[in-house]
Coordinates of all heavy atoms in Angstrom, one line a residue:
A52 N -53.6 -22.8 -91.7 CA -54.9 -22.1 -91.3 C -54.5 -21.1 -90.2 O -53.5 -21.2 -89.5 CB -55.9 -23.1 -90.7
N53 N -55.3 -20.1 -90.1 CA -55.1 -19.1 -89.0 C -55.8 -19.6 -87.7 O -57.0 -19.3 -87.5 CB -55.7 -17.7 -89.4 CG -54.9 -17.0 -90.4 OD1 -53.7 -16.8 -90.2 ND2 -55.5 -16.7 -91.6
V54 N -55.0 -20.3 -86.9 CA -55.6 -21.0 -85.7 C -54.7 -20.8 -84.5 O -55.1 -21.3 -83.4 CB -55.8 -22.4 -86.0 CG1 -56.9 -22.6 -87.1 CG2 -54.6 -23.2 -86.4
M55 N -53.5 -20.3 -84.6 CA -52.6 -20.3 -83.5 C -53.1 -19.7 -82.2 O -52.8 -20.1 -81.1 CB -51.2 -19.7 -83.8 CG -50.5 -20.5 -84.9 SD -50.3 -22.3 -84.6 CE -49.3 -22.3 -83.1
S56 N -54.0 -18.7 -82.3 CA -54.6 -18.1 -81.1 C -55.5 -19.1 -80.4 O -55.8 -18.8 -79.2 CB -55.4 -16.8 -81.5 OG -56.5 -17.2 -82.4
R57 N -55.9 -20.2 -81.0 CA -56.7 -21.2 -80.3 C -55.8 -22.3 -79.8 O -56.3 -23.4 -79.3 CB -57.7 -21.8 -81.3 CG -58.6 -20.9 -82.0 CD -59.7 -20.5 -81.0 NE -60.7 -19.6 -81.7 CZ -61.9 -19.5 -81.3 NH1 -62.3 -20.2 -80.2 NH2 -62.7 -18.7 -81.9
G58 N -54.5 -22.1 -79.8 CA -53.6 -23.2 -79.4 C -53.6 -23.3 -77.9 O -54.1 -22.6 -77.1
I59 N -52.9 -24.4 -77.5 CA -52.8 -24.8 -76.0 C -51.5 -24.4 -75.5 O -50.4 -24.7 -76.1 CB -53.0 -26.3 -75.9 CG1 -54.4 -26.7 -76.5 CG2 -52.9 -26.7 -74.4 CD1 -54.5 -28.2 -76.6
L60 N -51.4 -23.6 -74.4 CA -50.2 -23.1 -73.8 C -49.6 -24.2 -72.9 O -50.4 -24.9 -72.2 CB -50.4 -21.8 -73.1 CG -50.9 -20.6 -73.9 CD1 -51.2 -19.4 -73.0 CD2 -49.8 -20.3 -75.0
G61 N -48.3 -24.2 -72.8 CA -47.6 -25.1 -71.9 C -46.1 -24.9 -71.9 O -45.7 -23.9 -72.5
S62 N -45.4 -25.9 -71.4 CA -44.0 -25.9 -71.5 C -43.5 -27.3 -71.9 O -44.1 -28.3 -71.6 CB -43.3 -25.5 -70.2 OG -43.6 -26.4 -69.2
L63 N -42.5 -27.3 -72.7 CA -41.9 -28.5 -73.3 C -40.4 -28.3 -73.5 O -40.0 -27.3 -74.0 CB -42.6 -28.8 -74.6 CG -42.3 -30.1 -75.3 CD1 -42.8 -31.3 -74.4 CD2 -42.9 -30.2 -76.7
Q64 N -39.6 -29.2 -73.0 CA -38.2 -29.1 -73.1 C -37.7 -27.7 -72.5 O -36.8 -27.1 -73.1 CB -37.7 -29.3 -74.5 CG -38.1 -30.6 -75.1 CD -37.8 -30.6 -76.6 OE1 -37.3 -29.7 -77.2 NE2 -38.3 -31.7 -77.2
E65 N -38.3 -27.3 -71.3 CA -38.0 -26.1 -70.6 C -38.3 -24.9 -71.5 O -37.7 -23.8 -71.3 CB -36.5 -26.1 -70.1 CG -36.3 -27.2 -69.2 CD -34.9 -27.2 -68.6 OE1 -34.3 -26.2 -68.6 OE2 -34.5 -28.3 -68.1
E66 N -39.1 -25.0 -72.5 CA -39.5 -23.9 -73.4 C -41.0 -23.6 -73.2 O -41.8 -24.5 -73.2 CB -39.2 -24.3 -74.8 CG -39.3 -23.2 -75.8 CD -38.1 -22.3 -75.9 OE1 -37.0 -22.8 -75.6 OE2 -38.3 -21.1 -76.2
L67 N -41.4 -22.3 -73.1 CA -42.8 -22.0 -73.1 C -43.3 -22.1 -74.6 O -42.6 -21.5 -75.5 CB -43.0 -20.5 -72.6 CG -42.5 -20.3 -71.2 CD1 -42.7 -18.8 -70.8 CD2 -43.3 -21.2 -70.2
V68 N -44.4 -22.8 -74.7 CA -44.8 -23.1 -76.1 C -46.3 -22.9 -76.3 O -47.0 -22.9 -75.3 CB -44.5 -24.6 -76.5 CG1 -43.0 -24.8 -76.5 CG2 -45.2 -25.6 -75.6
V69 N -46.7 -22.8 -77.5 CA -48.1 -23.0 -77.9 C -48.2 -24.1 -78.8 O -47.4 -24.3 -79.8 CB -48.7 -21.7 -78.5 CG1 -47.9 -21.2 -79.7 CG2 -50.1 -21.8 -78.8
A70 N -49.1 -25.0 -78.6 CA -49.4 -26.2 -79.4 C -50.5 -25.9 -80.4 O -51.5 -25.3 -80.0 CB -49.7 -27.4 -78.6
S71 N -50.2 -26.1 -81.7 CA -51.2 -25.9 -82.7 C -52.5 -26.7 -82.4 O -52.4 -27.9 -82.0 CB -50.7 -26.3 -84.1 OG -51.8 -26.3 -85.0
P72 N -53.6 -26.1 -82.5 CA -54.9 -26.9 -82.2 C -55.2 -27.9 -83.3 O -56.0 -28.8 -83.1 CB -55.9 -25.8 -82.1 CG -55.4 -24.7 -83.0 CD -53.9 -24.7 -82.8
L73 N -54.5 -27.8 -84.5 CA -54.8 -28.8 -85.5 C -54.0 -30.1 -85.4 O -54.5 -31.1 -85.2 CB -54.5 -28.1 -86.9 CG -55.4 -26.9 -87.2 CD1 -55.0 -26.3 -88.6 CD2 -56.8 -27.4 -87.2
Y74 N -52.6 -30.0 -85.6 CA -51.8 -31.2 -85.6 C -50.9 -31.3 -84.4 O -50.0 -32.1 -84.3 CB -51.0 -31.3 -86.9 CG -52.0 -31.4 -88.1 CD1 -52.0 -30.4 -89.0 CD2 -52.8 -32.5 -88.2 CE1 -52.9 -30.5 -90.1 CE2 -53.7 -32.6 -89.3 CZ -53.7 -31.6 -90.2 OH -54.6 -31.7 -91.3
K75 N -51.0 -30.3 -83.4 CA -50.3 -30.3 -82.1 C -48.8 -30.1 -82.1 O -48.2 -30.4 -81.2 CB -50.6 -31.6 -81.4 CG -52.1 -32.0 -81.3 CD -53.0 -31.0 -80.7 CE -54.4 -31.5 -80.5 NZ -55.4 -30.6 -81.1
Q76 N -48.3 -29.5 -83.2 CA -46.9 -29.2 -83.2 C -46.7 -28.1 -82.2 O -47.6 -27.2 -82.0 CB -46.4 -28.7 -84.6 CG -46.2 -29.8 -85.5 CD -47.5 -30.1 -86.2 OE1 -48.5 -29.4 -86.1 NE2 -47.4 -31.2 -87.0
H77 N -45.6 -28.0 -81.5 CA -45.3 -27.0 -80.5 C -44.3 -26.0 -81.0 O -43.3 -26.3 -81.6 CB -44.6 -27.7 -79.3 CG -45.5 -28.8 -78.6 ND1 -45.4 -30.1 -79.0 CD2 -46.4 -28.6 -77.6 CE1 -46.3 -30.7 -78.3 NE2 -46.9 -29.9 -77.4
Y78 N -44.7 -24.7 -80.8 CA -43.9 -23.6 -81.2 C -43.4 -22.8 -80.0 O -44.3 -22.5 -79.1 CB -44.7 -22.7 -82.2 CG -45.1 -23.3 -83.5 CD1 -46.3 -24.1 -83.6 CD2 -44.3 -23.3 -84.6 CE1 -46.6 -24.7 -84.7 CE2 -44.6 -23.9 -85.8 CZ -45.8 -24.6 -85.8 OH -46.1 -25.2 -87.0
S79 N -42.2 -22.4 -80.0 CA -41.6 -21.6 -78.9 C -42.3 -20.2 -78.9 O -42.4 -19.6 -80.0 CB -40.1 -21.4 -79.1 OG -39.7 -20.4 -78.2
L80 N -42.8 -19.8 -77.8 CA -43.4 -18.4 -77.7 C -42.3 -17.3 -77.8 O -42.6 -16.2 -78.1 CB -44.2 -18.3 -76.4 CG -45.5 -19.1 -76.4 CD1 -46.1 -19.1 -75.0 CD2 -46.5 -18.5 -77.4
K81 N -41.0 -17.7 -77.5 CA -40.0 -16.7 -77.6 C -39.3 -16.6 -79.0 O -38.9 -15.5 -79.4 CB -38.9 -17.0 -76.5 CG -39.5 -16.8 -75.1 CD -38.4 -17.1 -74.1 CE -39.1 -16.9 -72.7 NZ -38.2 -17.3 -71.6
T82 N -39.2 -17.7 -79.7 CA -38.5 -17.7 -80.9 C -39.4 -18.0 -82.1 O -39.0 -17.7 -83.3 CB -37.3 -18.7 -81.0 OG1 -37.9 -20.0 -80.9 CG2 -36.4 -18.4 -79.8
G83 N -40.5 -18.7 -81.9 CA -41.4 -19.1 -82.9 C -41.0 -20.4 -83.6 O -41.7 -20.9 -84.4
Q84 N -39.9 -21.0 -83.2 CA -39.4 -22.2 -83.8 C -40.3 -23.4 -83.4 O -40.7 -23.6 -82.3 CB -37.9 -22.5 -83.3 CG -37.3 -23.7 -83.9 CD -37.1 -23.6 -85.4 OE1 -36.6 -22.6 -85.9 NE2 -37.7 -24.6 -86.1
C85 N -40.6 -24.2 -84.4 CA -41.3 -25.5 -84.2 C -40.4 -26.5 -83.6 O -39.3 -26.7 -84.1 CB -41.9 -26.0 -85.5 SG -42.8 -27.6 -85.3
L86 N -40.8 -27.1 -82.5 CA -39.9 -28.0 -81.8 C -39.8 -29.4 -82.5 O -38.9 -30.1 -82.3 CB -40.3 -28.2 -80.3 CG -40.3 -26.9 -79.5 CD1 -40.7 -27.3 -78.0 CD2 -39.0 -26.2 -79.6
E87 N -40.8 -29.7 -83.2 CA -40.8 -31.0 -83.9 C -40.3 -31.0 -85.3 O -40.0 -32.0 -85.9 CB -42.3 -31.6 -83.9 CG -42.8 -32.0 -82.6 CD -43.4 -30.9 -81.8 OE1 -43.6 -29.8 -82.3 OE2 -43.7 -31.1 -80.6
D88 N -40.2 -29.8 -85.9 CA -39.8 -29.7 -87.3 C -39.0 -28.4 -87.5 O -39.6 -27.3 -87.5 CB -41.1 -29.6 -88.2 CG -40.7 -29.6 -89.7 OD1 -39.6 -29.3 -90.1 OD2 -41.6 -29.8 -90.5
E89 N -37.7 -28.5 -87.5 CA -36.8 -27.3 -87.6 C -37.0 -26.5 -88.8 O -36.6 -25.3 -88.8 CB -35.3 -27.8 -87.5 CG -34.9 -28.4 -86.2 CD -33.5 -28.8 -86.2 OE1 -32.7 -28.4 -87.1 OE2 -33.1 -29.4 -85.2
S90 N -37.7 -27.0 -89.8 CA -37.9 -26.2 -91.0 C -39.1 -25.3 -90.9 O -39.4 -24.5 -91.8 CB -38.1 -27.1 -92.3 OG -39.3 -27.8 -92.2
K91 N -39.9 -25.4 -89.8 CA -41.1 -24.6 -89.6 C -40.9 -23.6 -88.5 O -40.3 -23.9 -87.4 CB -42.3 -25.5 -89.3 CG -42.6 -26.5 -90.4 CD -42.9 -25.8 -91.7 CE -43.3 -26.9 -92.8 NZ -43.5 -26.3 -94.1
Q92 N -41.5 -22.4 -88.6 CA -41.4 -21.4 -87.6 C -42.6 -20.4 -87.8 O -43.1 -20.3 -88.9 CB -40.1 -20.6 -87.8 CG -39.7 -19.6 -86.7 CD -38.3 -19.1 -86.8 OE1 -37.7 -19.2 -87.9 NE2 -37.8 -18.5 -85.8
I93 N -43.0 -19.8 -86.7 CA -44.0 -18.8 -86.8 C -43.4 -17.5 -86.4 O -42.4 -17.5 -85.6 CB -45.3 -19.1 -86.0 CG1 -44.9 -19.3 -84.5 CG2 -46.0 -20.3 -86.6 CD1 -46.1 -19.6 -83.6
P94 N -43.8 -16.3 -86.9 CA -43.2 -15.1 -86.5 C -43.6 -14.7 -85.0 O -44.7 -15.1 -84.6 CB -43.8 -14.0 -87.5 CG -45.0 -14.7 -88.0 CD -44.8 -16.1 -87.9
V95 N -42.7 -14.1 -84.3 CA -42.9 -13.6 -83.0 C -42.8 -12.1 -83.0 O -41.9 -11.6 -83.8 CB -42.0 -14.2 -81.9 CG1 -42.3 -15.7 -81.8 CG2 -40.6 -14.0 -82.2
Y96 N -43.5 -11.4 -82.2 CA -43.5 -9.9 -82.2 C -43.3 -9.5 -80.7 O -43.9 -10.0 -79.8 CB -44.8 -9.4 -82.7 CG -45.2 -9.9 -84.1 CD1 -46.1 -10.9 -84.2 CD2 -44.6 -9.3 -85.2 CE1 -46.4 -11.4 -85.5 CE2 -44.9 -9.8 -86.4 CZ -45.8 -10.8 -86.6 OH -46.1 -11.3 -87.8
P97 N -42.4 -8.5 -80.6 CA -42.2 -7.9 -79.2 C -43.4 -7.3 -78.7 O -44.1 -6.6 -79.5 CB -41.1 -6.9 -79.4 CG -40.4 -7.2 -80.7 CD -41.5 -7.8 -81.5
V98 N -43.7 -7.5 -77.4 CA -44.9 -6.8 -76.8 C -44.3 -6.2 -75.5 O -43.3 -6.6 -74.9 CB -46.1 -7.7 -76.5 CG1 -46.7 -8.2 -77.8 CG2 -45.6 -8.9 -75.6
R99 N -45.1 -5.2 -75.0 CA -44.7 -4.6 -73.7 C -46.0 -4.0 -73.1 O -47.0 -3.8 -73.8 CB -43.7 -3.4 -73.9 CG -44.3 -2.2 -74.6 CD -43.2 -1.1 -74.7 NE -43.8 0.1 -75.3 CZ -43.1 1.1 -75.7 NH1 -41.8 1.2 -75.4 NH2 -43.6 2.2 -76.2
V100 N -46.0 -3.9 -71.8 CA -47.1 -3.4 -71.0 C -46.8 -2.0 -70.7 O -45.7 -1.7 -70.1 CB -47.3 -4.2 -69.7 CG1 -48.4 -3.6 -68.9 CG2 -47.7 -5.7 -70.1
V101 N -47.7 -1.1 -71.0 CA -47.6 0.3 -70.7 C -48.9 0.7 -69.9 O -50.0 0.7 -70.5 CB -47.4 1.2 -71.9 CG1 -47.4 2.7 -71.5 CG2 -46.2 0.8 -72.7

Side-chain angles (χ1 to χ4, degrees):
N53 284 307
V54 295
M55 294 309 295
S56 62
R57 302 282 184 158
I59 301 166
L60 297 177
S62 63
L63 187 65
Q64 302 170 5
E65 299 184 24
E66 188 81 33
L67 298 178
V68 296
V69 57
S71 168
L73 295 178
Y74 299 114
K75 311 302 185 233
Q76 286 84 11
H77 299 90
Y78 295 88
S79 167
L80 288 170
K81 294 182 180 175
T82 67
Q84 182 64 52
C85 178
L86 300 185
E87 289 85 9
D88 184 343
E89 292 181 10
S90 71
K91 301 296 182 188
Q92 189 170 18
I93 57 176
V95 294
Y96 305 98
V98 293
R99 69 180 182 185
V100 175
V101 177

